Coordinates of all heavy atoms in Angstrom, one line a residue:
M946 N -25.2 -4.3 9.0 CA -23.9 -4.6 9.5 C -22.9 -3.6 9.1 O -22.8 -3.1 8.0 CB -23.4 -6.0 8.9 CG -23.8 -7.2 9.7 SD -23.1 -7.3 11.4 CE -21.4 -7.8 10.9
N947 N -22.1 -3.2 10.1 CA -21.1 -2.1 9.8 C -20.1 -2.5 8.8 O -19.6 -1.6 8.0 CB -20.4 -1.7 11.1 CG -21.4 -0.9 12.1 OD1 -22.4 -0.5 11.6 ND2 -21.0 -0.8 13.3
R948 N -19.7 -3.7 8.8 CA -18.7 -4.1 7.7 C -19.2 -3.9 6.3 O -18.5 -3.5 5.5 CB -18.3 -5.6 7.9 CG -17.5 -5.9 9.1 CD -17.6 -7.3 9.6 NE -17.2 -8.3 8.6 CZ -16.0 -8.8 8.6 NH1 -15.1 -8.5 9.4 NH2 -15.8 -9.7 7.6
E949 N -20.5 -4.2 6.2 CA -21.2 -3.9 4.8 C -21.3 -2.4 4.5 O -21.1 -2.0 3.4 CB -22.5 -4.6 4.8 CG -22.5 -6.0 4.4 CD -22.0 -6.9 5.5 OE1 -22.6 -6.8 6.6 OE2 -21.1 -7.7 5.3
Y950 N -21.5 -1.6 5.6 CA -21.6 -0.2 5.4 C -20.2 0.3 4.9 O -20.1 1.1 4.0 CB -21.9 0.5 6.7 CG -23.4 0.8 6.9 CD1 -24.2 -0.1 7.6 CD2 -24.0 1.9 6.3 CE1 -25.5 0.1 7.8 CE2 -25.3 2.1 6.5 CZ -26.1 1.3 7.2 OH -27.4 1.5 7.4
A951 N -19.2 -0.2 5.6 CA -17.8 0.3 5.2 C -17.5 -0.2 3.8 O -16.8 0.5 3.0 CB -16.8 -0.3 6.2
Y952 N -18.0 -1.4 3.5 CA -17.7 -2.0 2.1 C -18.4 -1.1 1.1 O -17.7 -0.8 0.1 CB -18.3 -3.4 2.1 CG -17.9 -4.2 0.9 CD1 -16.7 -4.8 0.8 CD2 -18.8 -4.4 -0.2 CE1 -16.4 -5.6 -0.3 CE2 -18.5 -5.1 -1.3 CZ -17.2 -5.7 -1.4 OH -16.9 -6.4 -2.5
N953 N -19.6 -0.7 1.3 CA -20.3 0.2 0.4 C -19.6 1.6 0.3 O -19.5 2.1 -0.8 CB -21.7 0.3 0.7 CG -22.5 -1.0 0.4 OD1 -22.2 -1.7 -0.5 ND2 -23.5 -1.3 1.2
R954 N -19.2 2.1 1.5 CA -18.5 3.4 1.5 C -17.3 3.3 0.6 O -17.0 4.3 -0.1 CB -18.1 3.7 3.0 CG -17.3 5.0 3.1 CD -16.5 4.9 4.4 NE -15.5 3.9 4.4 CZ -14.9 3.4 5.5 NH1 -15.2 3.9 6.7 NH2 -14.0 2.4 5.4
D955 N -16.6 2.2 0.7 CA -15.3 2.1 -0.1 C -15.6 1.5 -1.5 O -14.7 1.2 -2.3 CB -14.4 1.1 0.6 CG -14.0 1.7 2.0 OD1 -14.2 2.8 2.3 OD2 -13.4 0.9 2.8
R956 N -16.9 1.4 -1.9 CA -17.4 0.9 -3.2 C -16.8 -0.4 -3.6 O -16.5 -0.7 -4.7 CB -17.0 2.0 -4.3 CG -17.8 3.2 -4.1 CD -17.1 4.4 -4.9 NE -17.5 5.6 -4.3 CZ -18.4 6.4 -4.8 NH1 -19.1 6.1 -5.9 NH2 -18.7 7.5 -4.2
G957 N -16.6 -1.2 -2.6 CA -16.1 -2.6 -2.8 C -14.7 -2.7 -3.4 O -14.4 -3.6 -4.1
R958 N -13.9 -1.6 -3.1 CA -12.6 -1.6 -3.6 C -11.6 -1.5 -2.5 O -11.8 -1.0 -1.4 CB -12.3 -0.4 -4.5 CG -13.1 -0.5 -5.8 CD -13.0 0.9 -6.5 NE -14.0 0.9 -7.7 CZ -13.6 0.6 -8.9 NH1 -12.4 0.3 -9.2 NH2 -14.5 0.6 -9.9
C959 N -10.4 -2.0 -2.8 CA -9.3 -2.0 -1.8 C -8.9 -0.5 -1.6 O -8.7 0.2 -2.5 CB -8.1 -2.8 -2.3 SG -6.6 -2.6 -1.3
K960 N -8.7 -0.2 -0.3 CA -8.3 1.2 0.0 C -6.9 1.6 -0.4 O -6.6 2.8 -0.5 CB -8.4 1.4 1.6 CG -9.8 1.3 2.1 CD -10.7 2.5 1.7 CE -10.5 3.6 2.7 NZ -11.4 4.8 2.4
I961 N -6.1 0.6 -0.7 CA -4.8 0.9 -1.2 C -4.6 0.9 -2.7 O -4.3 1.9 -3.3 CB -3.8 -0.1 -0.6 CG1 -3.8 -0.1 1.0 CG2 -2.3 0.2 -1.1 CD1 -3.3 1.2 1.6
C962 N -4.9 -0.3 -3.3 CA -4.7 -0.4 -4.7 C -5.9 -0.1 -5.6 O -5.8 0.0 -6.8 CB -4.1 -1.8 -5.0 SG -5.3 -3.2 -4.7
G963 N -7.1 0.0 -5.0 CA -8.3 0.3 -5.7 C -8.9 -0.8 -6.5 O -9.8 -0.6 -7.2
E964 N -8.3 -2.0 -6.4 CA -8.8 -3.2 -7.1 C -10.2 -3.6 -6.5 O -10.5 -3.4 -5.3 CB -7.9 -4.4 -6.9 CG -6.6 -4.3 -7.6 CD -6.7 -4.5 -9.1 OE1 -7.5 -5.4 -9.6 OE2 -6.1 -3.7 -9.9
N965 N -11.1 -4.1 -7.4 CA -12.3 -4.6 -6.9 C -12.1 -5.8 -6.0 O -11.3 -6.7 -6.3 CB -13.2 -5.1 -8.1 CG -13.8 -3.9 -8.8 OD1 -14.2 -2.9 -8.2 ND2 -13.8 -4.0 -10.1
L966 N -12.7 -5.8 -4.8 CA -12.5 -6.9 -3.9 C -13.3 -8.1 -4.3 O -14.4 -8.1 -4.6 CB -12.9 -6.4 -2.5 CG -12.1 -5.2 -1.9 CD1 -12.7 -4.6 -0.7 CD2 -10.7 -5.7 -1.6
R967 N -12.6 -9.2 -4.2 CA -13.2 -10.5 -4.5 C -13.4 -11.3 -3.2 O -12.6 -11.2 -2.3 CB -12.3 -11.3 -5.4 CG -12.2 -10.8 -6.8 CD -11.3 -11.5 -7.7 NE -9.9 -11.1 -7.4 CZ -8.9 -12.0 -7.3 NH1 -9.1 -13.3 -7.3 NH2 -7.7 -11.6 -7.0
P968 N -14.5 -12.1 -3.2 CA -14.7 -12.9 -2.0 C -13.5 -13.8 -1.7 O -12.8 -14.3 -2.6 CB -15.9 -13.8 -2.4 CG -16.6 -13.1 -3.5 CD -15.5 -12.3 -4.2
K969 N -13.2 -14.0 -0.4 CA -12.0 -14.8 0.0 C -10.7 -14.2 -0.3 O -9.7 -14.8 0.0 CB -12.1 -16.2 -0.6 CG -13.3 -17.0 -0.1 CD -13.3 -18.4 -0.6 CE -14.5 -19.1 -0.1 NZ -14.6 -20.5 -0.7
F970 N -10.7 -13.0 -0.9 CA -9.4 -12.4 -1.2 C -9.5 -10.9 -0.7 O -8.9 -10.0 -1.3 CB -9.1 -12.4 -2.7 CG -7.7 -12.2 -3.1 CD1 -6.7 -13.1 -2.7 CD2 -7.3 -11.0 -3.7 CE1 -5.4 -12.9 -3.0 CE2 -5.9 -10.8 -4.0 CZ -5.0 -11.7 -3.6
R971 N -10.2 -10.8 0.4 CA -10.4 -9.4 0.9 C -10.4 -9.6 2.4 O -10.7 -10.6 3.0 CB -11.7 -8.8 0.4 CG -12.9 -9.6 0.8 CD -14.1 -9.2 0.1 NE -15.3 -9.9 0.6 CZ -16.5 -9.8 0.1 NH1 -16.7 -9.0 -1.0 NH2 -17.5 -10.5 0.6
H972 N -10.2 -8.4 3.1 CA -10.1 -8.4 4.5 C -10.7 -7.1 5.1 O -10.3 -6.1 4.6 CB -8.7 -8.7 5.0 CG -8.6 -8.7 6.5 ND1 -8.9 -9.8 7.2 CD2 -8.2 -7.8 7.3 CE1 -8.7 -9.6 8.5 NE2 -8.2 -8.3 8.6
C973 N -11.5 -7.2 6.0 CA -12.0 -6.0 6.7 C -11.2 -5.8 8.0 O -11.2 -6.6 8.9 CB -13.5 -6.1 7.1 SG -14.2 -4.6 7.7
Q974 N -10.4 -4.7 7.9 CA -9.4 -4.5 9.0 C -10.0 -3.5 10.0 O -10.5 -2.4 9.6 CB -8.1 -4.0 8.4 CG -7.0 -3.7 9.4 CD -6.5 -5.0 10.0 OE1 -6.2 -6.0 9.4 NE2 -6.2 -4.9 11.3
R975 N -9.8 -3.8 11.3 CA -10.1 -2.8 12.3 C -8.8 -1.9 12.4 O -7.8 -2.5 12.7 CB -10.4 -3.4 13.7 CG -11.7 -4.2 13.7 CD -11.6 -5.2 14.8 NE -12.9 -5.8 15.0 CZ -13.1 -6.9 15.7 NH1 -12.0 -7.5 16.2 NH2 -14.3 -7.4 15.8
L976 N -8.9 -0.6 12.2 CA -7.7 0.2 12.2 C -7.2 0.3 13.6 O -6.0 0.2 13.8 CB -8.1 1.6 11.6 CG -8.6 1.5 10.2 CD1 -9.0 2.9 9.7 CD2 -7.5 0.9 9.2
D977 N -8.0 0.6 14.6 CA -7.5 0.8 15.9 C -8.1 -0.4 16.8 O -9.2 -0.4 17.2 CB -8.0 2.1 16.6 CG -7.4 2.3 17.9 OD1 -6.8 1.4 18.5 OD2 -7.4 3.5 18.4
G978 N -7.3 -1.4 17.0 CA -7.7 -2.6 17.7 C -7.7 -2.4 19.2 O -8.0 -3.3 20.0
T979 N -7.3 -1.2 19.7 CA -7.3 -1.0 21.1 C -8.6 -0.3 21.6 O -8.7 0.0 22.8 CB -6.1 -0.1 21.5 OG1 -6.3 1.2 20.9 CG2 -4.8 -0.7 21.0
L980 N -9.5 0.1 20.7 CA -10.7 0.8 21.1 C -11.6 -0.2 21.9 O -11.6 -1.4 21.8 CB -11.5 1.2 19.8 CG -10.9 2.4 19.0 CD1 -11.8 2.6 17.8 CD2 -10.9 3.7 19.9
P981 N -12.5 0.4 22.8 CA -13.4 -0.4 23.5 C -14.4 -1.1 22.5 O -14.6 -0.6 21.4 CB -14.1 0.6 24.4 CG -13.8 2.0 23.9 CD -12.6 1.9 23.1
L982 N -15.0 -2.2 23.0 CA -15.9 -3.0 22.2 C -17.0 -2.2 21.5 O -17.3 -2.5 20.3 CB -16.5 -4.1 23.0 CG -15.7 -5.4 23.1 CD1 -16.4 -6.4 23.9 CD2 -15.4 -5.9 21.7
D983 N -17.5 -1.2 22.1 CA -18.6 -0.5 21.5 C -18.2 0.5 20.4 O -19.0 1.0 19.6 CB -19.5 0.3 22.5 CG -18.6 1.3 23.3 OD1 -17.4 1.0 23.5 OD2 -19.1 2.4 23.7
K984 N -16.9 0.7 20.2 CA -16.4 1.6 19.2 C -15.6 0.8 18.1 O -15.4 1.3 17.0 CB -15.5 2.6 19.8 CG -16.2 3.6 20.8 CD -15.5 4.9 20.9 CE -16.3 5.9 21.7 NZ -15.7 6.2 23.0
I985 N -15.1 -0.3 18.5 CA -14.1 -1.0 17.6 C -14.7 -1.4 16.2 O -14.0 -1.4 15.2 CB -13.5 -2.2 18.3 CG1 -12.2 -2.7 17.6 CG2 -14.5 -3.4 18.4 CD1 -11.4 -3.6 18.4
N986 N -16.0 -1.7 16.2 CA -16.6 -2.1 15.0 C -17.5 -1.0 14.3 O -18.3 -1.3 13.4 CB -17.5 -3.3 15.2 CG -16.7 -4.6 15.5 OD1 -15.6 -4.8 14.8 ND2 -17.1 -5.4 16.4
R987 N -17.2 0.2 14.7 CA -17.9 1.4 14.0 C -17.3 1.6 12.7 O -16.1 1.3 12.5 CB -17.7 2.6 14.9 CG -18.4 2.6 16.2 CD -19.7 3.3 16.2 NE -20.5 3.2 17.4 CZ -20.4 4.1 18.4 NH1 -19.6 5.2 18.3 NH2 -21.1 4.0 19.5
V988 N -18.1 2.1 11.8 CA -17.7 2.2 10.4 C -16.4 3.0 10.2 O -15.5 2.6 9.4 CB -18.8 2.8 9.5 CG1 -18.4 3.1 8.1 CG2 -20.0 1.9 9.5
P989 N -16.2 4.1 10.9 CA -14.9 4.9 10.6 C -13.7 4.1 11.0 O -12.6 4.4 10.6 CB -15.0 6.1 11.5 CG -16.5 6.2 11.8 CD -17.0 4.8 11.8
N990 N -13.8 3.1 11.9 CA -12.7 2.3 12.3 C -12.4 1.1 11.4 O -11.5 0.3 11.6 CB -12.8 1.8 13.8 CG -11.5 1.3 14.4 OD1 -10.5 1.9 14.2 ND2 -11.6 0.2 15.1
L991 N -13.3 0.9 10.4 CA -13.1 -0.3 9.5 C -12.7 0.1 8.1 O -13.0 1.2 7.6 CB -14.5 -1.0 9.4 CG -15.1 -1.5 10.7 CD1 -16.5 -2.0 10.4 CD2 -14.3 -2.5 11.3
A992 N -11.8 -0.7 7.6 CA -11.3 -0.4 6.2 C -11.2 -1.8 5.5 O -10.7 -2.7 6.1 CB -10.0 0.4 6.2
W993 N -11.6 -1.8 4.2 CA -11.4 -3.0 3.4 C -10.2 -3.0 2.6 O -9.9 -2.0 2.0 CB -12.6 -3.2 2.5 CG -13.9 -3.7 3.2 CD1 -14.8 -2.9 3.8 CD2 -14.3 -5.0 3.4 NE1 -15.8 -3.7 4.3 CE2 -15.5 -5.0 4.1 CE3 -13.7 -6.3 3.1 CZ2 -16.1 -6.2 4.5 CZ3 -14.4 -7.4 3.5 CH2 -15.6 -7.4 4.2
F994 N -9.5 -4.1 2.6 CA -8.3 -4.2 1.8 C -8.3 -5.5 1.0 O -8.9 -6.5 1.5 CB -7.0 -4.2 2.6 CG -6.9 -2.9 3.5 CD1 -7.1 -3.0 4.8 CD2 -6.5 -1.7 2.9 CE1 -7.0 -1.8 5.6 CE2 -6.4 -0.6 3.6 CZ -6.6 -0.6 5.0
C995 N -7.6 -5.6 -0.1 CA -7.4 -6.9 -0.7 C -6.3 -7.6 0.1 O -5.6 -7.0 0.9 CB -7.0 -6.8 -2.2 SG -5.3 -6.2 -2.4
Y996 N -6.2 -8.9 -0.1 CA -5.3 -9.7 0.8 C -3.9 -9.2 0.6 O -3.1 -9.2 1.6 CB -5.5 -11.2 0.5 CG -5.8 -11.9 1.7 CD1 -7.2 -11.9 2.1 CD2 -4.9 -12.6 2.5 CE1 -7.5 -12.6 3.3 CE2 -5.2 -13.2 3.6 CZ -6.5 -13.2 4.0 OH -6.9 -13.8 5.2
N997 N -3.4 -8.9 -0.6 CA -2.0 -8.5 -0.8 C -1.7 -7.2 0.0 O -0.7 -7.2 0.7 CB -1.8 -8.2 -2.3 CG -1.7 -9.5 -3.0 OD1 -1.4 -10.6 -2.5 ND2 -1.9 -9.4 -4.3
C998 N -2.6 -6.2 -0.1 CA -2.3 -4.9 0.6 C -2.5 -5.1 2.1 O -1.7 -4.5 2.8 CB -3.3 -3.9 0.0 SG -3.0 -3.5 -1.7
M999 N -3.4 -5.9 2.5 CA -3.6 -6.2 3.9 C -2.3 -6.7 4.5 O -1.8 -6.3 5.6 CB -4.7 -7.1 4.1 CG -5.3 -7.1 5.5 SD -4.5 -8.4 6.5 CE -5.0 -9.9 5.7
K1000 N -1.7 -7.7 3.8 CA -0.5 -8.3 4.3 C 0.7 -7.3 4.4 O 1.5 -7.3 5.3 CB 0.0 -9.5 3.3 CG -0.6 -10.8 3.8 CD 0.2 -12.0 3.2 CE -0.2 -12.2 1.8 NZ 0.4 -13.4 1.2
I1001 N 0.7 -6.4 3.4 CA 1.8 -5.4 3.4 C 1.5 -4.4 4.6 O 2.5 -4.1 5.3 CB 1.8 -4.6 2.1 CG1 2.1 -5.5 0.9 CG2 2.8 -3.4 2.2 CD1 1.9 -4.9 -0.4
I1002 N 0.3 -4.0 4.8 CA 0.0 -3.0 5.9 C 0.3 -3.6 7.2 O 0.8 -2.9 8.1 CB -1.5 -2.6 5.8 CG1 -1.8 -1.9 4.6 CG2 -1.8 -1.7 7.0 CD1 -3.3 -1.8 4.4
T1003 N 0.0 -4.9 7.4 CA 0.2 -5.5 8.7 C 1.6 -6.0 8.9 O 1.9 -6.9 9.7 CB -0.8 -6.6 9.0 OG1 -0.8 -7.5 7.9 CG2 -2.2 -6.0 9.1
G1004 N 2.6 -5.5 8.1 CA 4.0 -5.9 8.4 C 4.8 -6.5 7.3 O 5.9 -6.7 7.4
G1005 N 4.1 -6.8 6.2 CA 4.8 -7.4 5.0 C 5.7 -6.3 4.4 O 5.6 -5.1 4.7
E1006 N 6.6 -6.8 3.6 CA 7.5 -5.9 2.9 C 6.8 -5.1 1.8 O 6.0 -5.7 1.1 CB 8.7 -6.7 2.3 CG 10.1 -6.3 2.7 CD 11.1 -7.3 2.1 OE1 11.3 -8.3 2.7 OE2 11.6 -7.0 1.0
I1007 N 7.2 -3.8 1.7 CA 6.6 -3.0 0.6 C 7.4 -3.4 -0.7 O 8.6 -3.3 -0.8 CB 6.7 -1.5 0.9 CG1 5.9 -1.2 2.1 CG2 6.3 -0.7 -0.3 CD1 6.1 0.3 2.6
P1008 N 6.6 -3.9 -1.7 CA 7.3 -4.3 -3.0 C 8.0 -3.1 -3.6 O 7.5 -2.0 -3.6 CB 6.2 -4.7 -3.9 CG 5.0 -5.0 -3.0 CD 5.2 -4.1 -1.8
P1009 N 9.2 -3.3 -4.1 CA 10.1 -2.2 -4.6 C 9.5 -1.5 -5.8 O 9.7 -0.4 -6.1 CB 11.4 -2.9 -4.9 CG 11.1 -4.3 -5.0 CD 9.9 -4.6 -4.1
N1010 N 8.6 -2.3 -6.6 CA 8.1 -1.7 -7.8 C 6.8 -1.0 -7.6 O 6.1 -0.6 -8.6 CB 7.9 -2.8 -8.8 CG 7.0 -3.9 -8.4 OD1 6.8 -4.0 -7.2 ND2 6.5 -4.7 -9.3
I1011 N 6.4 -0.8 -6.4 CA 5.1 -0.2 -6.1 C 5.1 1.3 -6.4 O 6.1 2.0 -6.3 CB 4.7 -0.4 -4.6 CG1 3.2 -0.6 -4.4 CG2 5.2 0.6 -3.7 CD1 2.8 -1.3 -3.1
N1012 N 4.0 1.9 -6.9 CA 4.0 3.3 -7.2 C 3.9 4.2 -5.9 O 3.5 3.7 -4.9 CB 2.9 3.7 -8.3 CG 1.5 3.6 -7.7 OD1 1.2 4.2 -6.7 ND2 0.7 2.9 -8.4
S1013 N 4.3 5.4 -6.1 CA 4.5 6.3 -4.9 C 3.2 6.6 -4.2 O 3.1 6.8 -3.0 CB 5.2 7.5 -5.3 OG 4.5 8.2 -6.3
K1014 N 2.1 6.6 -5.0 CA 0.8 6.9 -4.4 C 0.4 5.8 -3.5 O -0.1 6.0 -2.4 CB -0.2 7.1 -5.6 CG -1.4 7.9 -5.2 CD -2.3 8.2 -6.5 CE -3.6 8.6 -6.0 NZ -4.6 8.6 -7.2
M1015 N 0.5 4.6 -4.0 CA 0.2 3.4 -3.2 C 1.1 3.3 -1.9 O 0.7 3.0 -0.8 CB 0.3 2.1 -4.0 CG -1.0 1.7 -4.6 SD -0.7 0.2 -5.6 CE -0.5 -1.1 -4.4
K1016 N 2.4 3.7 -2.1 CA 3.3 3.6 -1.0 C 2.9 4.6 0.1 O 3.0 4.2 1.3 CB 4.7 3.9 -1.6 CG 5.8 3.4 -0.6 CD 7.2 3.6 -1.2 CE 8.2 3.4 -0.1 NZ 9.5 3.9 -0.4
S1017 N 2.5 5.8 -0.3 CA 2.1 6.7 0.7 C 0.8 6.3 1.4 O 0.7 6.5 2.6 CB 2.1 8.1 0.2 OG 1.0 8.3 -0.7
K1018 N -0.1 5.7 0.7 CA -1.3 5.2 1.3 C -0.9 4.1 2.3 O -1.5 4.0 3.4 CB -2.3 4.6 0.3 CG -3.0 5.6 -0.5 CD -4.0 4.9 -1.4 CE -4.6 5.9 -2.3 NZ -5.5 5.3 -3.4
I1019 N 0.0 3.2 1.9 CA 0.4 2.1 2.8 C 1.0 2.7 4.1 O 0.6 2.3 5.2 CB 1.4 1.2 2.1 CG1 0.7 0.3 1.1 CG2 2.1 0.3 3.1 CD1 1.6 -0.4 0.1
E1020 N 1.8 3.7 4.0 CA 2.5 4.3 5.1 C 1.4 5.0 6.0 O 1.5 4.9 7.2 CB 3.6 5.3 4.7 CG 4.8 4.5 4.3 CD 5.8 5.2 3.5 OE1 5.5 6.4 3.1 OE2 6.9 4.7 3.2
R1021 N 0.4 5.6 5.4 CA -0.6 6.3 6.1 C -1.4 5.3 7.0 O -1.7 5.5 8.2 CB -1.6 7.0 5.2 CG -2.4 8.0 5.8 CD -2.7 9.3 4.9 NE -2.7 9.0 3.5 CZ -3.8 8.8 2.7 NH1 -4.9 8.7 3.3 NH2 -3.6 8.7 1.4
Y1022 N -1.8 4.1 6.4 CA -2.5 3.1 7.1 C -1.7 2.4 8.1 O -2.2 2.1 9.2 CB -3.2 2.1 6.1 CG -4.5 2.6 5.6 CD1 -4.6 3.1 4.3 CD2 -5.6 2.7 6.5 CE1 -5.8 3.6 3.8 CE2 -6.8 3.2 6.0 CZ -6.9 3.7 4.7 OH -8.1 4.2 4.2
R1023 N -0.4 2.3 7.9 CA 0.4 1.7 8.9 C 0.5 2.5 10.1 O 0.6 2.0 11.2 CB 1.9 1.5 8.3 CG 2.0 0.2 7.5 CD 3.5 0.0 7.1 NE 3.7 -1.3 6.5 CZ 4.8 -1.7 6.0 NH1 5.8 -0.8 6.0 NH2 4.9 -2.9 5.5
A1024 N 0.6 3.8 9.9 CA 0.6 4.8 11.0 C -0.7 4.7 11.8 O -0.6 4.9 13.1 CB 0.9 6.2 10.5
K1025 N -1.8 4.5 11.1 CA -3.1 4.5 11.8 C -3.3 3.2 12.6 O -4.1 3.2 13.6 CB -4.2 4.6 10.8 CG -4.7 5.9 10.4 CD -6.0 5.8 9.6 CE -6.3 7.0 8.8 NZ -7.5 6.8 8.0
L1026 N -2.7 2.1 12.1 CA -3.0 0.8 12.6 C -2.5 0.6 14.0 O -1.3 0.8 14.3 CB -2.4 -0.2 11.6 CG -3.1 -1.6 11.5 CD1 -4.5 -1.4 10.9 CD2 -2.3 -2.5 10.6
K1027 N -3.4 0.2 14.9 CA -3.0 -0.1 16.2 C -3.5 -1.5 16.5 O -4.7 -1.8 16.5 CB -3.6 0.8 17.2 CG -2.9 2.2 17.3 CD -3.4 2.9 18.5 CE -3.5 4.4 18.1 NZ -4.4 5.1 19.0
V1028 N -2.6 -2.4 16.8 CA -3.0 -3.8 17.1 C -2.8 -4.1 18.5 O -1.8 -3.8 19.1 CB -2.3 -4.8 16.1 CG1 -2.8 -6.2 16.3 CG2 -2.4 -4.4 14.7
L1029 N -3.7 -4.8 19.1 CA -3.6 -5.2 20.5 C -2.6 -6.4 20.6 O -2.7 -7.3 19.8 CB -4.9 -5.7 21.0 CG -5.8 -4.8 21.9 CD1 -6.9 -5.6 22.5 CD2 -5.0 -4.1 22.9
N1030 N -1.6 -6.3 21.4 CA -0.6 -7.3 21.5 C -1.0 -8.3 22.7 O -1.6 -7.9 23.6 CB 0.7 -6.8 21.8 CG 1.3 -6.0 20.6 OD1 1.2 -6.6 19.5 ND2 1.7 -4.8 20.8
Ligands
LIG1169 ZN1 -5.1 -3.9 -2.6

């Protein structure tokens, strides 16, 4: 499964905060949701995030106390993210 490949590629850690991902507190996000079906679930289009970071990337507020490294990662993923409306 591609999701598992992406999970191993990311070493089971959140792409933003680097925390170890726990079951039910993680999310495999399709970065570009506008791709055709045969490309949307390819490994390069998948990224794992913890639930907190996923919420931030998909439109939640960036916490004011977040460090600048995490903040720039969040902004990078936000720019990449394309969601079908
Ligand atoms: Zn995270």
Side-chain angles (χ1 to χ4, degrees):
M946 274 292 288
N947 288 344
R948 286 156 61 96
E949 274 74 53
Y950 268 96
Y952 190 80
N953 290 327
R954 177 201 64 196
D955 300 345
R956 292 160 205 262
R958 291 169 191 267
C959 172
K960 293 289 271 182
I961 302 292
C962 66
E964 291 284 319
N965 286 318
L966 294 166
R967 288 175 282 136
K969 294 183 181 173
F970 198 69
R971 62 190 184 187
H972 180 79
C973 188
Q974 179 70 42
R975 293 162 171 161
L976 299 175
D977 186 347
T979 66
L980 287 174
L982 271 180
D983 59 327
K984 294 206 174 109
I985 197 166
N986 289 320
R987 294 262 175 92
V988 175
N990 194 44
L991 301 174
W993 283 91
F994 301 107
C995 74
Y996 237 80
N997 285 339
C998 294
M999 196 270 294
K1000 271 201 279 185
I1001 297 169
I1002 297 166
T1003 55
E1006 234 174 277
I1007 297 177
N1010 58 343
I1011 211 161
N1012 70 52
S1013 58
K1014 206 173 162 190
M1015 267 176 71
K1016 201 176 167 194
S1017 66
K1018 283 184 190 173
I1019 288 166
E1020 282 161 357
R1021 195 146 29 95
Y1022 275 106
R1023 274 186 172 175
K1025 267 194 202 177
L1026 208 65
K1027 282 189 221 161
V1028 184
L1029 263 189
N1030 291 310

